[in-house]
Every structure is written in C-alpha cells, then in structure tokens.
RNA sequence: GGGCCCGUGGCCUAGUCUGGAUAAGGCACCGUCCUUCUAAGUCGGUGAUCGUGGGUUCGAAUCCCACCGGGCCCGCCA
C-alpha cells in the first residue's frame, strides 16, 4: 500500500532523474480539481527552452507505466497526474479493515498537557470564553487521536484581585449562605462599580489579598467557597458541550505548597528590586514577580504552574486569548532560558469574541452565557426536527435536538480560524443549514440509512469508478494528511473545514450514485465507499466534539 | 509612540505558513428537483478593484515595503 507521500515521492524522484533542477514544491497536491498530483514545469520549460509537449512526453516516458497511474495529461505548463481511485480505495480499506480506523498508524507515548479555559471564576462562562474551551478540547481530542497521553488542565485563579473582589462583593452585597452563580455575579458587579467610584472597597480588596496570602483561614474558606460555586457552574455548562477537564490547579495551592518561594530562590541571580517589589528583566521589560508587600503576582504563579507541568509532561500546550501573547513570551523565556526547562512548550492564541453591541464584560454583566446559547440552540433544533420528523417519539426528538445543538455550537465556534476576531450573531450561531454541523450530520444519517437497508450486504473494492465516486475516495484518502497538518499547525479548525469538504463530496455521490438499486458490482463497491466515509466522518467529528447521529 | 493579529461578492468564511490553472463555499435574494437510498439536501442564477499603493517573479489573495481601517498588548491587574 502506498500513501500520497509515497506516490509523490515516486513521481518527484522520477522527474528529478530527468530534470535534476526540480524543487520539491514543483510537484504538489492539486487543489484546483484538475488531477491528484501536478508537476509545474514552468521553471524547467524556461531554463531548457522546452515546449509543454516536450516536457510531457519525457515525463510520460518515465511514469507512464506505473500501475497506480490512471492518466497523465499536459495542460499549459502543468503535467497532471491522476491516480487510480481503486488504488486509493485499496489503501484506505487495507488500513480500515482490521482496525476500523483510518489511519491507524499513529501512536506516541509522550505525556501532553493541554491547558484551556482557565477563566477567572467570577461569573458564568460566556460565549467568549468557550472559544478557548472549544479550541482546547478539540486540540486535546486531536492529540489523543494521535495516541499521545493527554491531560487537560485548568489553572484556577483564586488569589488575584478579581476573586478578591468577587469575595468582597459576596460579603457585602449577597445575603445567602448558599449563593448561586448569579447571586455572586451581582455582588461582583456591585463591588466593581464601587471600586470604580473610588470607595473604600479598594482597601477592602487589598486587605483580603493580604489575608489570603498570609493563610488567614476565614478568608481562604470564603474565597474558595465563592470560587467553587462559580467553578461548578462553569463545569456544568461545559459538560453540556461534552467538555471535561481532567486536572485543576488552584493558584493558592502553589503559594501554600511553597512552589512560588522555591522559584524566587531559583531565580535569585536574576532578581532585581524596586521599592521592595522584585522583578526580572525579560525582553527589555521589567516583569514584576512580587508586590512591595511581598505578595505574589500572576506572572510568578504562572511560572510556578508551568514548572509543575514541565515536571509532569513532555509537551505543554496552552490555549490563551491573544491578550496573553506578551505574557506567554515572558513565561517561555523564564522557564526555558532562566530555569532550563527543556520539554516542548506551545501556545495557541485566539482572538476575541465580541457582540454586535460591543465587547463582552463579566464585570459589567454584558455577556451572552453559554447556557443561554445552549438553551436557544436546543430550542431551535427541536423546532426544526419536530417539523421534519413528526413521527418520532418526543424522547427521540429531544435527543436529536440536544446532539444537534452541541454540535452546531462547537462547530460554529471552532470552524473560524483562531486568530480571526469573531463577532457573535444569533442568526449565524443558530443557523442549522449550509456550512454547519447539521449539514455534516445529515449526510452521515443518510449514509447510515442506506446501510441499515443493506444490512449484511457484501462489498468489494471494484473498479471503473465514476467521477463522483473518485472525488469522494480522494477526499477520504486525504484524511491522514489533514490530521497531520492540523496537528502540525495546532489548528483543529482544519478538521472542521475538512468535514465540510468531505460532506460536499459525499452529497455529490449521494445524488448521483444510487446504491440500493444499483447492479451488484456497483452496489458492492459503493457499500465499501460508504463504510469508509462513515468511519472517517465519525473519527473526524469526534475530534471536533460533534455528536453524530445514525438517524435525524 | 512601539509590538502582535485581522481585512477576500450586501453579510460570514476557505485558500495565505510552503506563490501556480476560470479565487472555493455558506447566508441572503431569484428560479429548479421529493412515485429512486431522509429536501437540515440537490441543481442553476445574480453578486469579488482578494483594504490601498508600490516592489520581487515567467506567475502574487499568498512573499517584501509603505500606508489605511479594526482588534489586542505595552500595570507592583489577570
């Protein structure tokens, strides 16, 4: 069995034997729909003053007899290679037959940490933060698909000003021993209003911070209690999207366990001081680690956290908002250059989500919560499925609506390139047609429906594929390359876009290639194609966190 | 002021890393197809100075420079 890589290599080497000057980039996967692989002969033609026909016949001479080659064509300055779909199908099927996976070659025992979400526990999670969660969770799934041992991580800020004001607001404005997340959010908003107005709320908050770092039990209990209420709400919301986080690290634990102090000792030589506050120089900037009263700053606690991760993992990935770019650079400098950590460290940044009315702000209460989005998405899906499938029992309808809602939300947020700013619009988020999760899911359900009707049907690789079959097979075949590119660039959005492309190819196939009533030979090879398609859709959909349905 | 990111039909995007063929989709709008496997689908149509101006190249949405517009950062906040 040969993979595209091998076919590419074979073609590259054969052509290079004739024209030693060709570059690797001159032989490429075609993206314009003309063929599978193409040789761009412009340089060779120019250098050797050859006509396209002359190049074509020389290439044909060395590659024309390969058994994997369907045809070689000359178009302008291109020499186009089309491979036999049966060879591609054979490669897919050989891999899939025993394992139900394509590709089945990945395995890596390294331990990987994916830190995502890590939002301050000051209110319910909103649709801006979930961009982080969705990217992070999908990345973790992608890396897990490669066979790495993945752990997802959440760093809980329970020792900064934000949570101190959450607690201050709770103490002053919330009259409940069992507050809800919304009670706490109200108190937090009021506390922030007062701080902006310049009341003595400011000194209250500072006092809380000092008490906390000193280990004053009542303050510690109070803050933890407030944070836990918020964190429970965040986790409950995330779990509706199928997002589960494995490990939680509280900032305060790193302070009390002495991690933070040990780092100050390790950095001794690099520390400088200004009015009692300590800092290090990083990239020409003073990066403060402690305040003049000796309490730790986020930068120091985050260094401690990364050190903890470096000790337990071979590869660290942090998913961070774009506002953390500078911060990340400093973390990298300190841990790698000053503290000599050698494991791999990568950052994935994403741009912010805003509303049409402007920025979101938990502090000001200007947010769309994940819960609200989820509930509206379920409602919308339910309305649609009730019309489409009135015969289904209510329980089934609800199940479909929930799967569609989760998938649609995740897909909508994920498919956009992470460093593009996103303006959230209800009409787009709740659109269940076009380039959306239900578009993908629906095609899958139709494929499954065919298979149910052909239970026990035999299949075969066959030959003489038509245009739509060939295009679909090629797209299936490309899956491992998409996975590899996606991992290499840490871009799970590639998988979402691949799913759309694959679905379009399947829909072409579906409308043009009857299966159930086809003659035996056609039917058998189409059964095989559908099997492969369903396997890959399930695999890819799982990576982006979609819930695929057999029927909808 | 300095740094990073984004700019592709009316709206939302893919393609940019690694330059290559008539710039690929979706939404909206107009029209088509349910007595063939689920119409959340299909097919056709309208609609693009790829932010602007230079440069490199046989060839630029893609690389380089400048500028414009939007976002983010430049705290003893996180």
């Amino acid at each position: 069995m040969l993979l595209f890589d091998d076919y590419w290599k074979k073609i590259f080497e054969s052509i290079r034997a004739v024209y030693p000057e060709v570059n690797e980039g001159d032989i490429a996967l075609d993206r314009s729909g003309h063929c599978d692989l193409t040789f761009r002969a412009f340089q060779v033609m120019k250098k050797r003053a050859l006509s396209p026909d002359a190049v074509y016949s020389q290439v044909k001479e060395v590659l024309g007899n390969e058994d994997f080659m369907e045809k070689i064509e000359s178009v302008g300055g291109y020499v186009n290679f089309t491979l036999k779909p049966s060879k591609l199908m054979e490669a897919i099927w050989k891999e899939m037959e025993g394992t139900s996976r394509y590709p089945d070659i990945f395995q890596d025992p390294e331990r990987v940490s994916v830190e995502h979400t890590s939002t301050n526990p000051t209110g319910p999670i909103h649709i801006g933060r979930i961009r982080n969660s969705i990217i992070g969770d999908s990345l973790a799934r992608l890396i897990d698909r490669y066979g790495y041992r993945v752990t997802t991580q959440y760093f809980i800020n329970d020792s900064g000003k934000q949570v101190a004001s959450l607690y201050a607001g709770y103490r002053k404005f919330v009259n409940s021993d069992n507050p809800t997340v919304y009670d706490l959010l109200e108190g937090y908003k009021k506390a922030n209003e007062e701080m902006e107005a310049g009341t003595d709320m400011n000194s209250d908050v500072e006092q809380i911070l000092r008490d906390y770092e000193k280990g004053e039990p009542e303050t510690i209990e109070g803050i933890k209690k407030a944070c836990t209420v918020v964190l429970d709400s965040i986790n409950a919301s995330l779990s509706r999207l199928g997002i589960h986080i494995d490990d939680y690290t509280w900032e305060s634990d790193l302070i009390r366990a002495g991690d933070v102090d040990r780092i100050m000792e390790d950095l001794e030589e690099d520390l400088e001081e200004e009015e009692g506050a300590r800092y290090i120089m990083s990239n020409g900037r003073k990066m403060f680690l402690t305040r003049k009263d000796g309490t730790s700053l986020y930068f120091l606690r985050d260094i401690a956290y990364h050190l903890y991760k470096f000790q337990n993992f071979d590869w660290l990935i942090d998913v961070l908002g774009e506002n953390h770019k500078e911060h990340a650079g400093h973390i990298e400098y300190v841990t790698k250059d000053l503290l000599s950590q050698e494991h791999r460290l990568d950052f994935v940044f994403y741009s912010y989500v805003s509303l049409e009315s402007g920025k979101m702000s938990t502090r000001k209460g200007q947010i769309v919560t994940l819960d609200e989005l989820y509930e509206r998405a379920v409602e919308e899906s339910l309305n649609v499925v009730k019309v489409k499938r009135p015969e289904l029992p209510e329980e089934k309808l609800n199940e479909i609506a929930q799967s569609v809602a989760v998938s649609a939300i995740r897909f909508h947020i994920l498919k956009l390139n992470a460093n593009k700013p996103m303006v959230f619009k209800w009409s787009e988020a709740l659109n269940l047609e076009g380039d959306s999760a239900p578009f993908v899911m629906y095609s899958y359900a139709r494929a499954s429906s065919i298979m149910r009707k052909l239970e026990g049907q035999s299949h075969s690789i066959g030959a003489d594929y038509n245009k739509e079959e060939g295009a679909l097979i090629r797209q299936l075949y490309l899956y491992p390359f998409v996975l590899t590119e996606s991992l290499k660039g840490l871009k799970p959005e590639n998988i979402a876009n691949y799913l759309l492309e694959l679905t379009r190819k399947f829909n072409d196939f579906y409308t043009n290639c009857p299966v159930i009533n086809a003659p035996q030979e056609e039917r058998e090879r189409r059964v095989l194609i559908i099997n492969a398609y369903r396997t890959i859709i399930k695999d890819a959909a799982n990576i982006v966190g979609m819930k695929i349905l057999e029927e909808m």
Side-chain angles (χ1 to χ4, degrees):
Chain A
M1 176 196 93
L2 290 177
L3 289 172
F4 257 2
D5 265 351
D6 306 306
Y7 292 130
W8 175 88
K9 202 171 164 194
K10 177 84 191 156
I11 291 171
F12 175 62
E13 282 169 358
S14 299
I15 293 176
R16 197 176 50 180
V18 186
Y19 311 120
E21 69 273 24
V22 296
N23 299 315
E24 296 193 354
D26 293 335
I27 288 120
L29 271 177
D30 171 70
R31 276 183 295 212
S32 63
H34 289 82
C35 56
D36 291 318
L37 291 160
T38 188
F39 167 38
R40 298 166 184 146
F42 305 97
Q43 311 272 13
V44 167
M45 282 160 50
K46 191 182 174 196
K47 183 177 172 202
R48 296 172 180 252
L50 289 173
S51 68
D53 280 352
V55 173
Y56 169 70
S57 38
Q58 283 186 296
V59 169
K60 184 144 190 175
E61 197 164 309
V62 291
L63 284 163
N65 293 323
E66 293 293 347
D67 72 332
F68 59 81
M69 198 68 77
E70 174 127 316
K71 63 180 174 191
I72 305 179
E73 293 170 307
S74 170
V75 184
Y78 298 90
V79 181
N80 290 337
F81 304 99
T82 302
L83 310 186
K84 284 181 187 157
S86 58
K87 286 285 174 188
L88 304 184
M89 194 64 228
E90 192 185 322
I92 298 168
W93 191 246
K94 273 192 178 162
E95 189 108 347
M96 208 174 261
E97 206 172 2
T99 61
S100 298
R101 276 157 66 94
Y102 170 77
D104 189 49
I105 48 176
F106 304 132
Q107 52 177 358
D108 199 306
E110 291 198 335
R111 300 162 302 168
V112 184
S113 151
V114 177
E115 181 200 341
H116 69 77
T117 310
S118 295
T119 175
N120 287 343
T122 53
I125 191 162
H126 62 67
I127 56 168
R129 306 289 182 212
I130 61 166
R131 194 169 187 190
N132 188 318
S133 314
I134 289 170
I135 291 170
D137 187 64
S138 303
L139 262 179
R141 289 163 183 259
L142 171 64
I143 289 165
D144 178 73
R145 174 65 178 83
Y146 262 75
Y148 290 95
R149 290 182 285 158
V150 186
T151 307
T152 48
Q153 304 269 340
Y154 189 129
F155 193 35
I156 308 160
N157 165 24
D158 63 335
S159 45
K161 250 182 191 162
Q162 271 76 9
V163 286
S165 37
L166 175 79
Y167 178 55
Y170 170 43
R171 232 170 33 176
K172 189 162 176 188
F173 301 113
V174 181
N175 291 315
S176 169
D177 288 338
N178 291 301
T180 67
V181 67
Y182 293 98
D183 296 334
L184 292 175
L185 179 61
E186 276 308 303
Y188 181 62
K189 273 158 63 181
K190 285 183 186 159
N192 275 285
E193 280 162 19
E194 288 215 355
M195 284 164 74
E196 259 178 49
T199 67
D200 50 8
M201 178 59 78
N202 287 292
S203 49
D204 288 359
V205 168
E206 280 165 30
Q207 186 59 43
I208 288 170
L209 275 177
R210 277 192 296 274
D211 289 347
Y212 191 80
E213 200 132 348
K214 262 186 286 174
E216 205 264 310
E218 194 191 332
T219 309
I220 288 178
E221 279 311 301
I223 290 187
K224 275 230 165 163
K225 182 177 172 186
C227 287
T228 301
V229 169
V230 177
L231 201 61
D232 287 349
S233 123
I234 290 171
N235 282 331
S237 303
L238 287 178
S239 73
R240 297 170 114 176
L241 294 189
I243 297 175
H244 164 81
I245 292 160
D246 300 317
D247 264 16
Y248 296 84
T249 302
W250 296 76
E251 286 192 11
S252 56
D253 289 345
L254 296 177
I255 297 171
R256 276 200 298 282
D259 296 55
V260 157
D261 292 336
R262 272 195 296 282
I263 286 165
M264 291 303 278
E265 286 165 25
D266 291 344
L267 288 172
E268 187 72 55
E269 288 176 16
D270 304 290
L271 286 177
E272 304 194 45
E273 197 177 316
E274 193 174 293
E275 294 174 23
R278 329 270 311 258
Y279 66 89
I280 49 125
M281 291 304 291
S282 170
N283 196 23
R285 288 204 44 218
K286 290 178 185 175
M287 292 300 297
F288 282 88
L289 301 165
T290 61
R291 299 187 180 89
K292 66 185 168 193
D293 64 6
T295 55
S296 66
L297 289 162
Y298 167 67
F299 185 50
L300 174 56
R301 299 191 294 266
D302 202 25
I303 294 167
Y305 182 43
H306 279 81
L307 231 52
Y308 155 76
K309 291 194 284 186
F310 272 118
Q311 279 155 14
N312 291 285
F313 298 96
D314 305 301
W315 181 13
L316 315 187
I317 298 171
D318 297 355
V319 181
L320 299 169
E322 64 174 344
N323 57 331
H324 281 70
K325 277 186 183 175
E326 291 273 334
H327 172 82
H330 298 301
I331 289 285
E332 184 160 28
Y333 169 71
V334 173
T335 55
K336 298 260 177 181
D337 293 20
L338 300 184
L339 296 172
S340 311
Q341 296 301 312
E342 286 173 354
H343 291 315
R344 182 170 171 192
L345 171 62
D346 285 305
F347 300 98
V348 175
F349 298 105
Y350 65 94
S351 205
Y352 276 148
V353 180
S354 56
L355 303 174
E356 288 177 282
S357 55
K359 296 182 194 185
M360 267 179 283
S361 164
T362 304
R363 239 175 35 233
K364 294 178 184 160
Q366 289 168 1
I367 52 175
V368 173
T369 62
L370 168 55
D371 288 346
E372 185 185 357
L373 173 59
Y374 178 80
E375 277 151 22
R376 284 185 62 173
V378 171
E379 191 188 332
E380 178 69 20
S381 312
L382 196 57
N383 288 340
V384 174
V385 73
K386 270 181 180 165
V387 173
K388 310 249 180 222
R389 304 296 302 278
E391 78 281 12
L392 291 178
E394 188 160 343
E395 193 185 340
K396 188 81 182 168
L397 293 174
N398 284 324
E399 186 194 320
I400 291 172
Q402 282 169 20
S403 296
V404 168
V406 169
S407 304
I409 291 169
R410 292 189 62 137
F411 197 85
H412 176 66
I413 303 276
L414 185 72
K415 76 167 192 247
L416 178 58
N417 183 327
N419 44 29
K420 289 215 189 206
M422 179 174 211
V423 180
F424 177 84
K425 290 176 188 147
W426 283 105
S427 62
E428 288 172 1
L430 299 182
N431 179 24
L432 306 178
E433 295 172 0
D435 286 352
S436 66
F439 173 70
V440 175
M441 297 166 74
Y442 182 67
S443 290
Y444 177 88
R446 294 207 292 195
S448 295
S449 174
I450 293 175
M451 295 314 290
R452 277 196 298 275
K453 291 174 180 165
L454 289 174
E455 188 98 38
Q457 182 71 41
S458 61
H459 52 70
S460 61
I461 290 184
D464 301 325
Y465 294 88
N466 68 20
K467 183 164 140 267
E468 288 81 13
E469 291 170 302
L472 175 56
I473 288 168
R474 178 174 195 260
Q475 196 65 30
L476 293 169
Y477 185 82
L478 285 175
Y479 184 51
F481 298 88
V482 175
L483 280 176
T484 305
E485 284 296 302
S486 179
L487 182 78
K488 204 171 81 184
L490 299 177
K491 284 174 175 294
E493 60 264 39
N494 291 165
I495 312 271
N497 286 305
Y498 171 79
L499 276 166
L500 291 176
E501 199 57 50
L502 180 56
T503 298
R504 283 181 208 121
K505 295 289 194 296
F506 179 78
N507 286 347
D508 283 347
F509 167 86
Y510 184 87
T511 39
N512 293 292
C513 307
V515 182
I516 293 174
N517 294 318
Q520 183 184 348
E521 198 188 323
E522 264 180 30
R523 186 172 66 244
E524 289 190 352
R525 72 170 189 252
R526 286 173 183 171
V527 165
L528 194 66
I529 292 172
I530 294 177
N531 272 329
Y533 160 79
R534 289 175 72 238
T535 301
I536 290 173
I537 285 279
K538 268 190 282 191
D539 198 87
N542 182 54
I543 291 173
V544 301
M546 284 171 48
K547 290 188 177 166
I548 283 298
L549 296 165
E550 295 301 320
E551 188 184 357
M552 65 185 278

